[in-house]
């Protein structure tokens, strides 16, 4: 390997007759005047000046190359390999052409590649094209992980990529970008596993119900399995966790109501007027409901008539109350807006959001757990706004109190993680979850609150937030506009940007402000698996099989079943299992089992017998 | 957009008219007719097959193929302040790393060996010397090549006749040695400049063709891929005596190439044609890949020549003699 051609202080070409180069490989140039210069391969090509191109620029027919080989000349041996190498640090003078080039030893690249100890960082994967240097690596960096490539588990033979989580203090927040199927969610899973290893309090917003860590990945060797059961908790909004209505401020309630689609000015006004401090859900709801009912009567006269015509005291008091509301608010709270608020409130309530609180989440964070909040995107938008605001301010109060030297309850630093982040912080329009995420992106560093935001569409993510993401993991990206955004928002080079559409699933460029250059890595094999990575078609098949087996189980000890005796069998089943089968469904299911060869059907002169 | 002078446009249109007019007779000749005429008067048209791999291995066993080519680079300005550098190469398919290079140079400023006087030197004479130098080093390379590699055949880039004319003595030495040792000597001509068929056409009064056309014009698009015309010895000109030749369409491109061989070896001409056909990429312009490779090995980039001169000539010499005013501007 030698430096060839014209060189500059930043870039050189290296040629070799027998060694192919790999992109992102590190090489050391021994310049006789300037000493050792370290560089990274940014482009690699194999070149054969004799393998001709046809007049149309295609490769010429291979039969000619074969023929030439037959008369003794192997053109392929004339292939030379050329690498464009960018120096990590600009040289003082252009590099001496003809300088020798060698592969660095581990110690020479250690500081460039390893930025954190194994115990204190996130061991996320391997740095690609480092296998040769990895040979001389200290034991502590070996055998930390597996990768999963081409359907196989592979042991680690490259230098590990360890994300220095402590650097977040200076360079906060992480973005995870990549197109569909590029490995974002998988990468996020690995990040979360590592956060659990370090017991870092974390909130995960999980609209896909995929961030469960109780299933061990099949490919993991049994003795290497890591159990995360007591390190995380999956909580569903409305079922395990919710909002405590009494704690809500007017702003909170507006945020909640506003989260799915923006409130009109009139609606905002209605909340300002009708929501009272210390309202319970019921008191607020009743106030709205009665006002609406009064407004539906249409006039004071008709409400008065209702009062007169009331049959009971209770009813009369009710209408009395409605009249009062009507008198106080009808003018300033238009009917349609009041109705709109009531409708939204009902909907939130039906989703169970007001039936629980966030105590379990807070406790989890205090214990250094990873809390996965699950729910539909819409409900998560609503709930996360409230939740993140709440937790962030607790942490902030604590830190501010410390600063002012007054006492306050301890609240730990924490990380907020979300997939589909563009739904929570969209570019171009406002939504409540965006304001809090924006605030954290700008100020969170001071309080030890950090974001990890993943999205398929960086272009749709709020640009103020994007600009605050100091570390970016960039997986395969095909869409031109997203590549453009990525180029603007990271320090990836032109050459790297050109490779983005072709990255393998799970391969990633890591652009860290802390590093000042991009690392090309492969995310390690996750220890756990998402509960529904099952192929949807396998899922269908499994589901029917499961159903069939269940049904067979139920009827097994009823066999043989006579065709004229269905009624009695169904009754028996009903009393034993509580399951009721309509007659024709029952027969259909039996025939289905016959078709599948699970039971037999015999025809008799009078009826069929199933056995 | 460039603005193009109207006068220039008119001139180009005019050229087109002249050429169309001149060639209309040829262009209007019926293809089948031409082919038949050629079959009857020039020689049979035959379709060739490519060699099989086994057949090709026989070439390897009998010594491989020696490819010969030359190159020249010129540096400097107008006469006599220039230098021309010649390089000849002999490269065997069997000995990858042992190519034989020969070099020579020419400058009107130094003619001692040429035995002429600078002042009475004529343009023709000068031209002759230069061609001779290039041909000679190619033949020298070939000579050393056959001695060193003992090939089955020598494939020269260009017509054999050229060497006969340009450097007779050296050529005879090569020719004799090849004939004695049974080494086939063959020339492959990319740009045929003959008018064998053209002359026949013109002299045939029944055809009413008044001008002499070149063979490359007449044969354009006429042959099928892999077809050759075996030129009968009666039709070749006096100057071409002692050689047998053929035309061949060796690729999809409609143009043809020529090949020639010593009369004493003419039984091998078709064998060599098949070899050339086999080694020519279908989508190329018709030159066998092997000669393309030799060609690119022998060529020296102008930049490199310049580098050499700059490194090894004194600056004053360089500037005084070999750097044209135009070059100085870019230096
Ligand atoms: N580092 C990796 N090693 C091995 N397999 C991986 C890796 N990353 C992703 N995969 C596999 O590739 C598939 C797609 O990955 P993933 O679900 O993470 O894509 P995604 O980027 O989240 O896509 P989407 O945007 O559609 O959600 C998954 O089946 C996963 O198992
Ligand atoms: Mg995903």
């Amino acid at each position: 390997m030698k430096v060839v051609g014209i060189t500059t202080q930043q870039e050189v070409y290296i040629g070799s007759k027998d060694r192919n180069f790999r992109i992102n490989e590190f090489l050391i140039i021994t310049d006789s005047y300037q000493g050792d210069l370290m560089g990274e391969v940014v482009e690699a090509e194999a070149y054969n000046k004799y393998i001709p191109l046809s007049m149309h620029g295609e490769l010429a027919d291979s039969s000619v190359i074969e023929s030439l080989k037959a008369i003794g000349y192997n053109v392929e041996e004339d292939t030379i390999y050329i690498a464009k190498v960018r120096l990590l640090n600009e040289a003082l003078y252009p590099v001496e052409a003809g300088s020798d080039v060698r592969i660095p030893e581990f110690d020479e690249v250690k500081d460039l590649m390893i930025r954190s100890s194994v115990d204190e960082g996130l061991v996320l994967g391997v740095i690609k094209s480092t296998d040769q240097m990895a040979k001389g690596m200290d034991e502590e960096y070996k055998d930390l992980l597996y990768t999963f490539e081409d359907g196989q588990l592979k042991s680690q033979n490259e230098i590990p990529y360890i994300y220095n989580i402590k650097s977040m203090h200076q360079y906060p927040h992480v973005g995870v970008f990549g197109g569909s199927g590029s490995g974002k969610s998988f990468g996020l899973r690995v990040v979360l596993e590592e956060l659990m290893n370090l017991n870092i309090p974390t909130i995960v917003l999980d609209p896909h119900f995929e961030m469960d860590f109780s299933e061990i990945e099949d490919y993991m060797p049994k003795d290497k399995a890591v159990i995360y059961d007591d390190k995380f908790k999956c909580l569903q909004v409305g079922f395990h966790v919710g909002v405590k209505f009494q704690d809500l401020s007017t702003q909170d309630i507006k945020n909640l109501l506003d989260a799915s689609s923006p409130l009109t000015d009139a609606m905002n006004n209605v909340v300002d007027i009708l929501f009272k401090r210390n309202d319970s859900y019921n008191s607020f709801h009743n106030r709205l409901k009665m006002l609406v009912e009064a407004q539906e009567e249409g006039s004071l006269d008709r409400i008065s008539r209702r009062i007169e015509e009331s049959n009971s005291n209770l009813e009369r008091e009710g209408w009395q109350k409605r009249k009062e509301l009507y008198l106080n608010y009808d003018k300033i709270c238009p009917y349609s807006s009041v109705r709109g608020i009531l409708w939204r409130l009902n909907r939130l309530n039906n989703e169970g959001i007001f039936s629980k609180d966030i105590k379990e989440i807070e406790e989890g964070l205090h214990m250094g757990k990873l809390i996965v909040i699950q729910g539909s995107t819409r409900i998560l938008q609503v709930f996360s706004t409230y939740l993140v605001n709440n937790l962030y301010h607790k942490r902030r109060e604590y830190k501010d109190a410390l600063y002012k030297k007054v006492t306050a309850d301890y609240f730990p630093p924490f990380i907020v993680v979300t997939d589909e982040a563009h739904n929570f912080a969209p570019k171009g329009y406002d939504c409540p979850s965006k304001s809090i995420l924006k605030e954290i992106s700008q100020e969170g560093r001071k309080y030890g609150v950090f974001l990890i935001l993943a999205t398929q569409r960086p272009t749709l993510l709020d640009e103020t937030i994007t600009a605050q993401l100091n570390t970016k993991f960039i997986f395969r990206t095909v869409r031109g506009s997203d590549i453009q955004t990525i180029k603007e928002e990271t320090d990836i080079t032109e050459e790297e940007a050109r490779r983005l559409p072709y990255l393998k699933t799970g391969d990633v460029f890591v652009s860290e402000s802390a590093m000042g250059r991009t690392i090309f890595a492969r995310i390690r094999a996750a220890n756990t698996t998402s509960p529904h990575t099952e192929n949807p078609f396998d899922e269908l098949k499994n589901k029917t099989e499961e159903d069939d087996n269940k049904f067979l189980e139920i009827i097994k000890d009823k066999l043989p079943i006579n065709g004229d005796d269905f009624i009695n069998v169904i009754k028996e089943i009903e009393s034993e299992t509580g399951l009721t089968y309509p007659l024709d469904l029952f027969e259909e299911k039996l025939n289905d089992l016959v078709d599948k060869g699970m039971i037999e059907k015999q025809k008799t002169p009078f009826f069929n017998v199933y056995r | 957009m460039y603005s193009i002078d109207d006068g220039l446009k008119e001139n180009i249109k005019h050229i087109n008219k002249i050429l169309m007019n001149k060639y209309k007779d040829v262009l209007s000749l019926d293809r089948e007719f031409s082919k038949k005429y050629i079959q009857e008067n020039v020689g049979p048209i035959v379709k060739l097959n490519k060699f099989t791999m086994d057949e090709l291995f026989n070439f390897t066993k009998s010594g491989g193929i020696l490819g010969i080519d030359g190159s020249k680079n010129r540096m400097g300005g107008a006469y006599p302040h220039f230098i021309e550098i010649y390089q000849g190469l002999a490269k065997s398919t069997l000995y990858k790393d042992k190519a034989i290079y020969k070099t020579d140079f020419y400058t009107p400023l130094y003619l001692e060996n040429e035995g002429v006087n600078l002042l009475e030197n004529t343009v023709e004479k000068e031209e002759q010397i230069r061609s001779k130098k290039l041909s000679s080093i190619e033949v020298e390379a070939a000579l050393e090549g056959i001695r060193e590699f003992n090939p089955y055949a020598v494939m020269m880039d260009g017509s054999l006749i050229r060497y006969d004319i340009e450097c007779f003595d050296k050529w005879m030495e090569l020719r004799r040695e090849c004939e004695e040792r049974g080494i086939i000597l063959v020339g492959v001509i990319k740009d045929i400049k003959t008018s064998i068929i053209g002359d026949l056409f013109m002299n045939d009064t029944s055809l009413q063709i008044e001008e002499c056309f070149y063979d490359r014009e007449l044969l354009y698009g006429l042959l099928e891929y892999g077809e050759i015309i075996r030129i009968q010895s009666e039709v070749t000109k006096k100057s071409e005596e002692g050689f047998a030749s053929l035309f061949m369409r060796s690729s999809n491109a409609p143009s043809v190439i020529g090949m020639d061989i010593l009369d004493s070896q003419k039984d091998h001409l078709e064998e060599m044609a098949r070899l050339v056909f086999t080694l020519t990429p279908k989508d190329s312009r018709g030159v066998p890949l092997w000669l393309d490779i030799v060609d690119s090995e022998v060529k020296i980039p102008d930049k490199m020549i310049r580098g050499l001169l700059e490194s090894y000539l004194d600056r004053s010499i360089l500037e005084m003699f070999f750097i044209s005013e135009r070059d100085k501007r870019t230096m």
Side-chain angles (χ1 to χ4, degrees):
Chain A
M1 289 186 283
K2 277 201 187 310
V3 173
V4 296
I6 296 179
T7 69
T8 67
Q9 284 147 268
Q10 298 86 25
E11 266 175 13
V12 299
Y13 286 91
I14 293 179
S16 163
K17 267 182 145 26
D18 44 25
R19 186 180 181 285
N20 213 337
F21 294 97
R22 282 175 302 176
I23 260 176
N24 296 109
E25 180 171 42
F26 280 74
L27 295 170
I28 287 183
I29 298 157
T30 37
D31 182 303
S32 47
Y33 301 107
Q34 306 185 72
D36 284 358
L37 303 167
M38 175 105 56
E40 187 177 4
V41 175
V42 293
E43 270 173 19
E45 24 187 61
Y47 170 69
N48 190 315
K49 63 178 170 179
Y50 298 144
I51 294 186
L53 295 174
S54 76
M55 290 192 296
H56 320 294
E58 299 122 28
L59 219 54
D61 59 78
S62 55
S63 71
V64 170
I65 290 164
E66 284 306 305
S67 302
L68 202 51
K69 205 188 264 177
I71 62 168
Y73 195 85
N74 187 354
V75 180
E76 281 144 24
E77 285 169 9
D78 287 320
T79 301
I80 52 170
Y81 303 98
I82 296 178
K84 181 170 164 188
V85 171
R86 180 154 310 143
L87 299 185
L88 296 193
N89 300 306
E90 194 179 68
L92 280 176
Y93 310 101
V95 177
E96 183 79 0
S99 297
D100 280 322
V101 179
R102 65 177 173 84
I103 295 159
E105 298 294 323
F106 176 73
D107 284 337
E108 293 172 294
V109 294
K110 181 174 173 183
D111 292 343
L112 288 168
M113 306 257 174
I114 303 221
R115 314 287 288 207
S116 164
S117 72
V118 174
D119 306 332
E120 293 187 324
L122 311 186
V123 182
L124 298 181
V126 293
I127 303 178
K128 306 239 332 178
S129 307
T130 55
D131 46 347
Q132 278 166 314
M133 295 175 282
K135 294 210 177 80
M137 196 160 65
D138 312 337
E139 287 305 315
E140 59 178 309
Y141 300 116
K142 291 185 177 163
D143 292 321
L144 297 175
L145 53 89
Y146 293 94
T147 55
F148 190 75
E149 288 170 82
D150 310 319
Q152 274 183 25
L153 203 62
K154 294 202 175 135
S155 44
Q156 173 200 340
N157 44 35
E158 282 137 321
I159 298 176
Y161 170 67
I162 308 174
Y163 174 64
N164 181 4
I165 185 108
K166 288 187 170 173
S167 72
M168 266 205 172
H169 181 59
Q170 213 181 343
Y171 301 100
H173 315 307
V174 176
V176 180
F177 303 149
S180 180
S182 60
K184 277 184 315 301
S185 303
F186 194 96
L188 217 45
R189 168 171 295 273
V190 170
V191 169
L192 298 180
E193 286 179 358
E194 291 294 317
L195 291 175
M196 287 190 278
N197 281 340
L198 299 183
N199 300 314
I200 295 175
T202 304
I203 297 282
V204 183
L205 307 179
D206 178 21
H208 295 146
F209 293 77
E210 63 184 1
M211 288 306 171
D212 190 306
F213 301 88
S214 38
E215 270 178 54
I216 302 300
E217 207 18 302
D218 285 339
Y219 54 57
M220 270 302 173
K222 291 286 160 292
D223 55 319
K224 304 274 176 167
V226 187
I227 311 288
Y228 296 99
D229 282 355
D230 55 352
K231 303 228 172 207
F232 81 101
K233 233 177 201 176
C234 279
L235 303 172
Q236 281 174 29
V237 181
F239 193 72
H240 302 107
V241 289
V243 171
K244 202 163 162 208
F245 201 88
Q246 272 89 336
D247 294 343
L248 293 177
S249 66
T250 313
Q251 191 53 43
D252 287 337
I253 196 98
K254 280 192 200 165
N255 287 345
L256 287 172
L257 294 168
D258 172 87
S260 53
S261 62
L263 294 178
T264 61
D265 289 347
M267 283 164 128
N268 265 313
N269 201 31
V270 168
V271 178
D272 284 335
I273 294 164
L274 294 182
F275 182 72
K276 311 283 180 205
R277 201 115 191 74
N278 295 326
D279 251 347
S280 71
Y281 171 76
N282 279 334
S283 60
F284 183 49
H285 180 260
N286 277 343
R287 191 171 308 120
L288 287 163
K289 188 155 175 275
M290 288 175 119
L291 177 58
V292 161
E293 283 162 356
Q295 287 173 324
E296 277 168 357
E297 285 303 314
S299 68
L300 213 52
D301 289 351
R302 296 185 54 168
I303 297 172
S304 303
R305 186 152 351 119
R306 283 285 196 170
I307 295 172
E308 282 157 27
E309 290 168 3
S310 291
N311 295 325
S312 66
N313 274 349
L314 208 61
E315 200 183 330
R316 187 170 308 113
E317 273 168 33
W319 280 106
Q320 201 73 52
K321 187 102 210 254
R322 287 183 182 91
K323 183 175 168 187
E324 234 170 78
L325 289 169
Y326 187 82
L327 284 170
N328 286 339
Y329 302 121
D330 180 54
K331 293 274 172 335
I332 41 177
C333 297
Y335 168 67
S336 61
S337 305
V338 183
R339 261 205 75 98
I341 293 292
L342 180 61
W343 189 86
R344 286 178 186 224
L345 192 69
N346 272 332
R347 178 158 173 202
L348 287 178
N349 188 46
N350 291 340
E351 280 159 338
I353 214 169
F354 299 125
S355 59
K356 290 281 181 292
D357 56 26
I358 59 169
K359 212 182 251 133
E360 204 172 349
I361 299 174
E362 287 178 43
E363 281 168 8
L365 291 183
H366 273 289
M367 290 188 286
K369 285 195 188 187
L370 180 101
I371 307 295
V372 182
I373 316 277
Q374 299 180 320
S376 68
T377 303
R378 202 195 72 83
I379 198 83
L380 280 181
Q381 282 169 340
V382 176
F383 181 69
S384 66
T385 306
Y386 165 77
L387 174 71
V388 176
N389 255 310
N390 197 298
L391 301 178
Y392 179 60
H393 288 112
K394 286 211 166 85
R395 171 66 187 171
R396 217 174 121 160
E397 271 158 37
Y398 167 70
K399 286 294 273 188
D400 287 345
L402 273 192
Y403 180 70
K404 291 184 207 140
K405 301 206 163 59
V406 297
T407 54
D409 286 342
Y410 175 69
F411 200 85
F414 63 97
I415 297 179
V416 179
V417 182
T418 176
D419 206 341
E420 311 294 351
H422 58 273
N423 286 330
F424 298 94
K427 167 144 84 193
Y429 58 93
D430 274 329
C431 81
S433 52
K434 173 158 128 181
S435 350
I436 178 64
L437 291 180
K438 205 162 170 174
E439 185 175 345
I440 296 179
S441 78
Q442 290 168 323
E443 310 237 288
R445 193 179 74 84
K446 284 195 282 191
Y447 303 106
V449 178
F450 303 105
L451 301 173
I452 298 180
L453 304 179
T455 175
Q456 276 199 20
R457 302 298 322 276
T459 312
L460 303 184
L461 189 65
D462 179 80
E463 55 272 62
T464 325
I465 296 183
T466 311
Q468 300 292 336
L469 304 173
N470 278 283
T471 299
K472 284 158 183 126
F473 289 79
I474 306 149
F475 290 90
R476 179 177 60 242
T477 303
V478 180
R479 207 188 286 257
S481 57
D482 290 334
I483 294 179
Q484 192 52 38
T485 306
I486 288 165
K487 276 206 281 201
E488 285 160 15
E489 295 294 342
T490 65
D491 57 5
I492 76 166
T493 61
E494 191 56 44
E495 291 95 352
E496 285 158 344
R498 247 181 280 137
R499 289 162 58 199
L500 278 178
Y502 309 104
L503 293 189
K504 277 206 305 189
T505 297
D507 284 358
V508 66
F509 286 119
V510 190
S511 163
E512 282 188 48
S513 304
M515 291 277 240
R517 85 193 161 75
T518 306
I519 284 192
F520 186 43
R522 174 162 191 85
I523 298 295
R524 69 163 168 82
N527 294 317
T528 58
T529 181
S530 139
H532 55 226
T533 42
E534 206 177 8
N535 179 316
F537 297 101
D538 288 343
E539 179 190 317
L540 273 179
K541 187 160 155 264
N542 293 343
K543 178 81 172 89
T544 9
E545 253 166 42
E546 200 182 299
D547 285 356
D548 289 345
N549 288 333
K550 221 158 87 188
F551 187 65
L552 188 65
E553 199 58 39
I554 290 169
I555 60 161
K556 211 164 61 192
D557 44 314
K558 310 279 182 275
L559 293 174
I561 300 172
N562 293 338
D564 64 345
D565 197 25
F566 285 164
I567 289 287
N568 289 322
V569 180
I570 290 173
K571 271 192 190 148
E572 263 176 55
I573 292 174
E574 188 173 338
S575 68
E576 283 165 18
T577 66
L579 294 171
T580 319
Y581 291 92
L583 209 75
D584 34 358
L585 180 66
F586 190 70
E587 187 171 358
E588 198 182 304
K589 279 194 155 279
L590 284 176
N591 285 331
D592 196 33
L593 290 187
V594 173
D595 286 346
K596 288 179 179 155
M598 297 167 94
I599 59 174
E600 279 175 35
K601 174 157 107 174
Q602 274 178 353
K603 290 198 164 138
T604 74
F606 312 103
F607 43 75
N608 297 323
V609 178
Y610 297 85
R611 53 177 82 240
Chain B
M1 280 291 287
Y2 294 98
S3 66
I4 292 173
D5 179 54
D6 279 345
L8 178 57
K9 252 190 261 175
E10 285 312 313
N11 266 326
I12 290 173
K13 280 190 200 161
H14 184 60
I15 291 172
N16 185 47
K17 207 150 100 199
I18 292 174
L19 289 178
M20 283 307 282
N21 206 18
K22 175 174 173 186
Y23 285 92
K24 69 171 188 297
D25 295 340
V26 186
L27 292 170
S28 67
L29 277 182
D30 178 60
R31 197 177 137 167
E32 287 313 306
F33 171 82
S34 302
K35 269 189 134 173
K36 200 155 155 264
Y37 190 90
I38 288 170
Q39 297 249 33
E40 282 163 10
N41 298 292
V42 183
I45 296 179
V46 187
K47 175 136 178 107
L48 296 185
N49 291 319
K50 294 192 178 181
F51 280 122
T52 64
M53 286 297 157
D54 286 341
E55 288 169 321
L56 288 168
F57 277 123
N58 288 329
F59 290 107
T60 309
K61 280 186 223 140
S62 6
I65 308 296
L66 190 69
I68 311 289
D69 200 356
S71 70
K72 63 175 178 207
N73 296 72
R74 182 183 167 127
M75 165 132 180
Y79 181 88
H81 294 125
F82 68 88
I83 181 165
E84 218 162 60
I85 293 182
Y86 310 103
Q87 179 165 255
L89 167 65
K91 188 174 166 84
S92 160
T93 53
L94 296 191
Y95 301 90
K96 247 192 120 121
D97 304 321
K98 286 206 274 177
I100 290 166
Y101 286 96
K102 294 278 165 192
T103 51
D104 201 353
F105 72 94
Y106 171 79
T107 169
L109 299 177
Y110 172 74
L111 293 173
E112 245 166 54
N113 283 354
E114 266 63 72
V116 275
N117 183 325
L118 175 59
L119 296 173
E120 60 196 37
N121 195 12
T122 60
V123 176
E124 293 93 278
K125 178 76 184 164
E126 203 214 350
E127 189 64 47
Q128 223 176 10
I129 298 170
R130 283 155 60 197
S131 324
K132 180 174 178 176
K133 288 203 167 227
L134 180 58
S135 298
S136 299
I137 52 154
E138 289 178 35
V139 173
E140 273 170 36
L143 265 170
E144 196 171 323
I146 57 174
R147 287 168 192 158
E148 172 113 22
F149 305 127
N150 193 25
Y152 176 73
V154 180
M155 200 181 275
M156 318 272 299
D157 184 67
S159 166
L160 298 186
I161 296 166
R162 189 186 122 216
Y163 302 103
D164 189 296
I165 297 169
E166 291 177 357
C167 59
F168 187 74
D169 295 344
K170 283 248 165 61
W171 163 247
M172 285 313 283
E173 192 183 344
L174 175 65
R175 177 179 175 146
R176 215 173 305 124
E177 187 149 351
C178 283
E179 285 179 313
E180 272 166 22
R181 291 170 53 186
I183 296 171
I184 302 166
L185 197 49
V186 62
V188 177
I189 308 130
K190 284 175 269 198
D191 290 312
I192 49 174
K193 296 186 182 89
T194 54
S195 55
I196 299 171
I197 303 172
D199 287 345
L200 283 176
F201 274 24
M202 189 173 66
N203 296 332
D204 189 328
T205 43
S206 66
L207 289 180
Q208 296 183 331
I209 292 177
E210 267 134 46
E211 285 190 69
C212 181
F213 292 100
Y214 286 105
D215 293 335
R216 61 177 292 167
E217 298 160 358
L218 293 168
L219 291 172
Y220 188 86
L222 197 69
L223 297 180
E224 304 284 331
Y225 176 53
E227 272 182 351
I228 58 165
I229 304 172
R230 288 192 198 127
I231 304 167
Q232 300 305 96
S233 51
E234 305 88 71
V235 291
T236 48
K237 290 183 191 162
K238 187 120 191 21
S239 63
E240 286 149 20
E241 261 167 29
F243 298 94
S245 50
L246 56 71
F247 294 125
M248 168 163 67
R249 176 162 174 191
S250 53
S251 76
N252 274 342
S255 49
V256 296
I257 63 167
M259 288 181 64
D260 56 8
I261 197 165
L262 299 174
D263 244 343
S264 60
Q265 299 181 332
K266 72 174 177 219
D267 292 347
H268 289 288
L269 181 55
E270 216 156 291
E271 174 192 352
M272 286 298 112
R274 283 182 70 195
L275 181 63
V276 165
F277 181 40
T278 311
L279 293 180
T280 303
K282 197 168 177 181
D283 283 323
S284 70
R285 290 191 168 76
V287 184
L289 180 55
W290 177 238
L291 283 185
D292 253 355
I293 290 176
V294 178
D295 175 67
S296 56
E297 292 274 89
V298 76
K299 276 210 179 95
I300 315 169
D302 281 341
K303 249 194 189 163
M304 192 144 124
I305 294 282
R306 184 177 198 131
L308 281 170
L309 295 181
E310 278 169 8
S311 318
Y312 296 108
L313 290 180
D314 274 354
R315 190 78 202 169
S316 53
I317 298 278
L318 184 73
E319 298 217 348
M320 188 171 3
F321 297 120
F322 297 124
I323 295 183
S324 66
E325 283 311 309
R326 185 223 238 133
D327 284 350
K328 273 185 197 151
R329 267 181 261 150
T330 57
M331 280 191 79

